[in-house]
Amino acid sequence: QVELVESGGDSVQPGGSLRLSCTASGYRYTLLCMAWFRRVEGKEREPVASIEDGRRTTYADVAKGRFTISKDKNTVYLQMNDLKPEDTGMYYCAAARGGSCRAEAFVNYWGQGTQVTVSS
C-alpha cells in the first residue's frame, strides 16, 4: 500500500515562505511522477506543480516564479516563496506510476493534505 505523508504546512504572513515535504513509502514500482495539488477556497482542487522522472518540472500559472518543486529519492518538496493570502488552502501530494501527473486523472495516490494559511 503506497502512502504519501505531507508535512510543512503552517500559518505565515503575506510575503513569507514555506517548504512542504512529501515522503512516499510502500510502493513496489517506481513512481515516475510526483506532484502537488491544492484546494483553495471557492475552487476545485487544482494542480500546482509536478516533477516527472525526477527532473522535468511543470508549474501552474499560480506557481510560476514563486514556487519550486524538487525531488530527492522518495521525497518531493515544494518551496513556496512570496506567499499571498490567495495561496491559503489545503495542499496535497500526489504520485503516479505513469510518466505524467499534471492532472488528477493521471494520479494513482494521494496524501492526506497539509494546511497552508497566509494571513496578516
Side-chain angles (χ1 to χ4, degrees):
Q1 181 72 17
V2 176
E3 184 177 26
L4 303 176
V5 179
E6 303 106 328
S7 63
D10 206 342
S11 295
V12 296
Q13 294 187 342
S17 298
L18 284 174
R19 188 172 86 149
L20 306 183
S21 300
C22 170
T23 299
S25 63
Y27 54 93
R28 298 179 61 186
Y29 304 98
T30 301
L31 298 172
L32 293 180
C33 187
M34 296 188 75
W36 290 94
F37 288 69
R38 72 181 189 181
R39 180 179 284 121
V40 300
E41 187 174 354
K43 291 186 176 182
E44 299 289 325
R45 186 161 56 185
E46 60 184 7
V48 176
S50 64
I51 183 164
E52 302 168 2
D53 293 332
R55 54 185 174 82
R56 188 165 54 249
T57 58
T58 60
Y59 295 94
D61 287 343
V62 294
K64 289 178 181 177
R66 299 189 300 130
F67 296 178
T68 303
I69 190 170
S70 61
K71 186 173 179 287
D72 181 18
K73 296 181 181 178
N74 62 331
T75 298
V76 64
Y77 304 95
L78 185 68
Q79 176 67 42
M80 303 188 294
N81 298 326
D82 189 25
L83 283 161
K84 306 175 187 300
E86 52 264 41
D87 294 318
T88 296
M90 187 69 76
Y91 284 69
Y92 298 90
C93 179
R97 296 187 299 271
S100 176
C101 53
R102 304 180 190 184
E104 288 202 29
F106 301 115
V107 173
N108 300 115
Y109 310 104
W110 292 97
Q112 294 297 310
T114 185
Q115 177 68 34
V116 171
T117 302
V118 185
S119 174
S120 56

